[in-house]
Amino acid sequence: KHGVMTRKSHADMDGKRTPRGRRGWKKFYAVLKGMILYLQKDEYKPDADISEVDLKNAVRIHHALATRATDYSKRANVLKLKTSDWRVYLLQAPSEEEMMSWIFRINLV
Ligand code: I3P
């Protein structure tokens, strides 16, 4: 699965609140491949190599949990992704349908 998603980092590894200056929203092209959610700068190209930056932004979603971000109301269609190392990301999908589809697919892994 792939598509545009906008990300906000809410907590870093070990659950510590992401510090100011790194809490902004940023648009990515998200690609779910196996147990990894790639957040890429550019559009998905099936056979292209993954860049250094894209690797840094990749999220391991094994044992992660995706839920609707019911406690975040500033934006619509936002899901909350908690990873196994206690990072928390907010991810905004372009529509309600897309958000539900991402939640379903992430939790299936
Ligand atoms: C953050 C940025 C985010 C904002 C966040 C700010 O600043 O303005 O958009 O979240 O507020 O800290 P920076 O880019 O300097 O990290 P919202 O869009 O959700 O308001 P927060 O600290 O209350 O999460």
Side-chain angles (χ1 to χ4, degrees):
K1 177 171 176 62
H2 46 99
V4 171
M5 276 214 283
T6 308
R7 180 206 69 189
K8 175 185 176 180
S9 180
H10 179 69
D12 296 340
M13 233 190 292
D14 306 322
K16 289 197 196 92
R17 184 185 156 96
T18 300
R20 287 219 149 199
R22 285 206 293 110
R23 300 183 58 83
W25 287 93
K26 200 173 168 194
K27 190 174 169 183
F28 290 98
Y29 201 80
V31 181
L32 182 59
K33 240 188 256 170
M35 292 195 267
I36 299 180
L37 178 67
Y38 293 95
L39 294 170
Q40 306 183 167
K41 244 176 87 221
D42 300 306
E43 184 125 356
Y44 173 66
K45 295 182 213 90
D47 298 315
D49 281 340
I50 299 154
S51 76
E52 217 42 53
V53 194
D54 289 347
L55 274 177
K56 245 186 65 192
N57 285 321
V59 184
R60 230 182 291 275
I61 57 167
H62 189 49
H63 291 161
L65 181 68
T67 55
R68 190 194 280 267
T70 49
D71 53 355
Y72 188 84
S73 54
K74 287 184 191 173
R75 291 183 177 219
N77 313 319
V78 176
L79 68 89
K80 183 184 277 189
L81 178 64
K82 290 189 189 194
T83 69
S84 60
D85 58 3
W86 304 100
R87 289 168 217 257
V88 179
Y89 294 106
L90 296 179
L91 295 168
Q92 183 184 30
S95 67
E96 160 96 16
E97 197 187 353
E98 272 296 292
M99 178 198 68
M100 293 309 290
S101 162
W102 277 112
I103 290 175
F104 178 77
R105 291 293 300 273
I106 289 169
N107 289 336
L108 212 59
V109 172

